[in-house]
Amino acid sequence: MVAQIGLLRQQQGRTGTTQPLVGVAFEDGEVVISNLIRLGPSGSKMFFILLAFGSFWLVIQTIIAMRASLMPDRCIVIASDYVSIPPSLLSREKMSILFADIMDLALQADKRSRVLHIRHGAGTTKATQRFFEGRDNFEDFVVQLQAAIRG
């Protein structure tokens, strides 16, 4: 018994006729995709597991992106005696850190972004460059925060 997975795309044949490019799954577990790729029972099982994980990963990424886009007040505030960091994807509350509680600042940089790790009495809070419109604004924030901590 053969179950047709579906029509993937049309392919031009040698005679000029259009032939469907299809995937077929056989009862014994073998998968054949347009007579180009043949997967045995173990290979087809791995193919479908990877397809399921890939689909699941895309759904998770979409949910995270939607949650991030719905978060209000995505700005960092430096007040006279504290800095306020917006909530992360896992937290719903703003983090307000008193300058007196800040123990250390560590800057982590890679090719795409920079992250300031603010170590304080309650743990570590991250302020990413993505909160700012440009790299210069992030640099200004770091300088202002260092000046505010010193006094």
Side-chain angles (χ1 to χ4, degrees):
M1 182 169 172
V2 176
Q4 188 167 337
I5 294 173
L7 186 66
L8 301 177
R9 72 177 175 91
Q10 298 290 319
Q11 183 179 18
Q12 191 77 20
R14 290 185 203 178
T15 62
T17 61
T18 304
Q19 299 173 348
L21 178 64
V22 295
V24 179
F26 293 95
E27 195 173 72
D28 64 354
E30 182 181 22
V31 173
V32 178
I33 301 173
S34 189
N35 289 330
L36 297 174
I37 301 171
R38 291 182 182 274
L39 301 171
S42 63
S44 63
K45 183 178 182 181
M46 182 59 70
F47 172 75
F48 287 117
I49 288 172
L50 292 175
L51 185 64
F53 278 128
S55 300
F56 181 72
W57 179 251
L58 289 174
V59 168
I60 295 297
Q61 292 297 315
T62 302
I63 290 170
I64 289 172
M66 288 174 56
R67 178 162 159 70
S69 69
L70 296 174
M71 295 176 79
D73 297 335
R74 302 282 304 167
C75 61
I76 295 178
V77 176
I78 297 180
S80 60
D81 59 341
Y82 69 93
V83 61
S84 178
I85 309 289
S88 68
L89 293 174
L90 303 176
S91 167
R92 292 179 181 241
E93 296 180 17
K94 275 188 173 183
M95 177 64 107
S96 295
I97 307 164
L98 294 172
F99 294 142
D101 288 346
I102 296 176
M103 296 181 260
D104 185 37
L105 297 176
L107 189 62
Q108 176 187 356
D110 61 17
K111 293 179 182 177
R112 292 179 292 156
S113 184
R114 297 162 57 114
V115 179
L116 180 67
H117 297 267
I118 304 169
R119 198 165 60 104
H120 50 90
T124 302
T125 303
K126 298 176 184 177
T128 65
Q129 184 177 328
R130 289 178 289 161
F131 290 140
F132 299 90
E133 290 183 12
R135 187 180 183 113
D136 294 336
N137 291 344
F138 179 74
E139 294 291 333
D140 290 343
F141 163 72
V142 173
V143 169
Q144 289 176 10
L145 183 60
Q146 287 172 335
I149 291 171
R150 282 190 219 117

